[in-house]
Amino acid sequence: QVQLVESGGGLVQPGGSLRLSCAASGSIFRLHVMGWYRQAPGKQRELVADISSGGSTNYVDSVKGRFTISRDNAKNTVYLQMNSLKPEDTAVYFCHAARGTVGSWGQGTQVTVSS
C-alpha cells in the first residue's frame, strides 16, 4: 500500500485557481492508477479525475476543460490543477491510489469556492 498526503486546498473566489498536490510513499508509485475524488456536504464521494500509470486521463464531465490531472513519477506526486473554479466545486478533495484490487486514500483537503 501507499501512504498519501494531500495539500494545496483553501478558500478561493469564483473564477480562481488552485493546485492540489498528493505526495505518495511506501510503494511503487509509477505502477498505480492515481485519482482525485471529492465529497461535498450531504453528497456521495465522486471521482473527479484519474490518471493511469501510462498517463491516460479521465475526467468527470463537470470539470472537463477546467481541471487537469498530472503526475510526476520522479517525485511520487500527482497534481490537480483547478481553473475557473465554481461554488459547486466546493468539497473535500481526496487523493486515491490503486493497484489491482488494493487502494489507498489520503486524509483529504478542503476546497472552498466563495466570494
Side-chain angles (χ1 to χ4, degrees), residues 4 6 22 29 32-38 46-52 58 69 71 78-80 93-98 104-106:
L4 304 170
E6 300 102 331
C22 173
F29 173 80
H32 288 72
V33 176
M34 301 300 299
W36 285 98
Y37 290 71
R38 65 186 179 188
E46 67 169 351
L47 174 66
V48 176
D50 62 21
I51 183 167
S52 71
N58 175 55
I69 189 171
R71 65 191 299 162
V78 62
Y79 305 96
L80 185 68
Y93 283 69
F94 297 89
C95 180
H96 183 260
S104 301
W105 291 97

Side-chain angles (χ1 to χ4, degrees), residues 4-33:
L4 304 170
V5 179
E6 300 102 331
S7 61
L11 173 64
V12 63
Q13 292 187 341
S17 298
L18 283 174
R19 189 176 82 155
L20 305 183
S21 299
C22 173
S25 61
S27 187
I28 307 174
F29 173 80
R30 61 182 173 83
L31 298 181
H32 288 72
V33 176

Side-chain angles (χ1 to χ4, degrees), residues 7 25-26 31-32 42 56 74 77 86 111 113:
S7 61
S25 61
L31 298 181
H32 288 72
S56 297
T77 302
K86 305 175 180 180
V111 171
V113 184

Side-chain angles (χ1 to χ4, degrees), residues 43-100:
K43 294 188 176 181
Q44 289 189 329
R45 191 172 297 189
E46 67 169 351
L47 174 66
V48 176
D50 62 21
I51 183 167
S52 71
S53 57
S56 297
T57 58
N58 175 55
Y59 298 90
V60 67
D61 285 346
S62 60
V63 308
K64 285 181 179 177
R66 300 189 297 123
F67 290 11
T68 302
I69 189 171
S70 61
R71 65 191 299 162
D72 185 336
N73 290 337
K75 296 182 178 180
N76 285 3
T77 302
V78 62
Y79 305 96
L80 185 68
Q81 178 66 45
M82 304 186 294
N83 299 327
S84 302
L85 282 160
K86 305 175 180 180
E88 51 265 42
D89 294 317
T90 295
V92 179
Y93 283 69
F94 297 89
C95 180
H96 183 260
R99 184 182 176 191

